[in-house]
Amino acid sequence: MRIVIAGGHGQIALRLERLLAARGDEAVGIIRDPQQSEDLRAAGAEPLVLDLESASTEEAAEALRGADAAVFAAGAGPDSGTERKDTVDRGAAVLFADAAERAGVRRHVVVSSMGADPHHPGDEVFDAYLRAKGEADAYVRSRAALAWTVLRPGMLTNDAGTGQVLLQASTGRGPVPRDDVAAVLLELLDTPATAGLTLELISGSVPVTVAVRDIAGN
């Protein structure tokens, strides 16, 4: 498979790229900063320099043409303000969905956040982030041409993955290693029957492959 990943230098994206490369798939990571290219190559991915905050839909679609699936794993980052929550966490996600539709890439997986809600109250930056992610999720889920899956992990950690998770429509809050998020993303890409699902993810006691298989088609 050829998988194009927005936010290709992110911590989850790099882990997913390594997993894809290890099994012989073609991972393409979209990055803004060309200096990050070597990190992607080291992960086994092909870097593609494109700023999704300023790109046109057609430019993004060109990056996606020929892909078997698209993964949106970009984010403005914890040090960004409310403006970039809107331009990246919402705007870039919307652009990427439009571009996938235009490029004819049907399978579309979004890395969102637990608590994402377009109507989330509050004036803090994190409140704006949850609204932006919620608005992006709602937009992606409205696109009939996309076979979308929205994944909402709990509190992300850099602990070593256990391969044991809880994956449900609603899990309650909890932590989850980024390793396990990447492993779930890989399994979701392999499981078309998870299309149309919005799923929460935290650490648990069910092997990743079993957890994805059990939720597929629900």
Side-chain angles (χ1 to χ4, degrees):
M1 292 195 299
R2 177 179 172 87
I3 311 297
V4 178
I5 304 167
H9 194 258
Q11 294 187 65
I12 292 171
L14 285 167
R15 286 167 167 82
L16 177 58
E17 287 156 6
R18 292 187 193 101
L19 293 174
L20 288 164
R23 68 179 200 179
D25 286 328
E26 187 179 353
V28 179
I30 296 177
I31 52 175
R32 288 198 318 160
D33 183 355
Q35 294 185 351
Q36 297 172 341
S37 296
E38 284 308 312
D39 290 341
L40 268 71
R41 292 190 184 100
E46 172 193 336
L48 194 160
V49 179
L50 181 69
D51 185 351
L52 292 175
E53 283 185 272
S54 59
S56 68
T57 303
E58 184 53 42
E59 287 171 330
E62 190 59 36
L64 281 159
R65 284 197 173 90
D68 296 292
V71 177
F72 185 83
D79 297 325
S80 60
T82 56
E83 182 177 340
R84 293 202 69 228
K85 302 304 183 195
D86 183 66
T87 58
V88 178
D89 294 291
R90 185 201 60 79
V94 167
L95 174 79
F96 199 59
D98 287 344
E101 195 169 333
R102 182 172 296 190
V105 181
R106 182 161 167 76
R107 188 71 175 114
H108 196 87
V109 179
V110 175
V111 182
S112 183
S113 175
M114 192 172 290
D117 180 352
H119 306 295
H120 181 83
D123 300 320
E124 301 298 321
V125 172
F126 191 67
D127 298 322
Y129 167 75
L130 291 177
R131 281 193 296 274
K133 295 297 280 187
E135 289 168 9
D137 292 353
Y139 185 83
V140 170
R141 292 184 298 191
S142 75
R143 312 312 297 169
L146 299 179
W148 54 264
T149 304
V150 174
L151 182 66
R152 293 177 167 175
M155 185 182 70
L156 298 170
T157 76
N158 286 326
D159 298 336
T162 67
Q164 305 279 319
V165 299
L166 178 61
L167 181 70
Q168 297 287 345
S170 178
T171 61
R173 295 193 175 275
V176 61
R178 289 178 172 88
D179 287 351
D180 289 335
V181 178
V184 168
L185 288 170
L186 187 72
E187 202 67 29
L188 291 174
L189 288 168
D190 287 346
T191 312
T194 57
L197 299 179
T198 300
L199 301 170
E200 294 185 351
L201 172 68
I202 59 174
S203 291
S205 59
V206 180
V208 166
T209 53
V210 177
V212 173
R213 183 191 67 205
D214 287 350
I215 200 71
N218 290 349

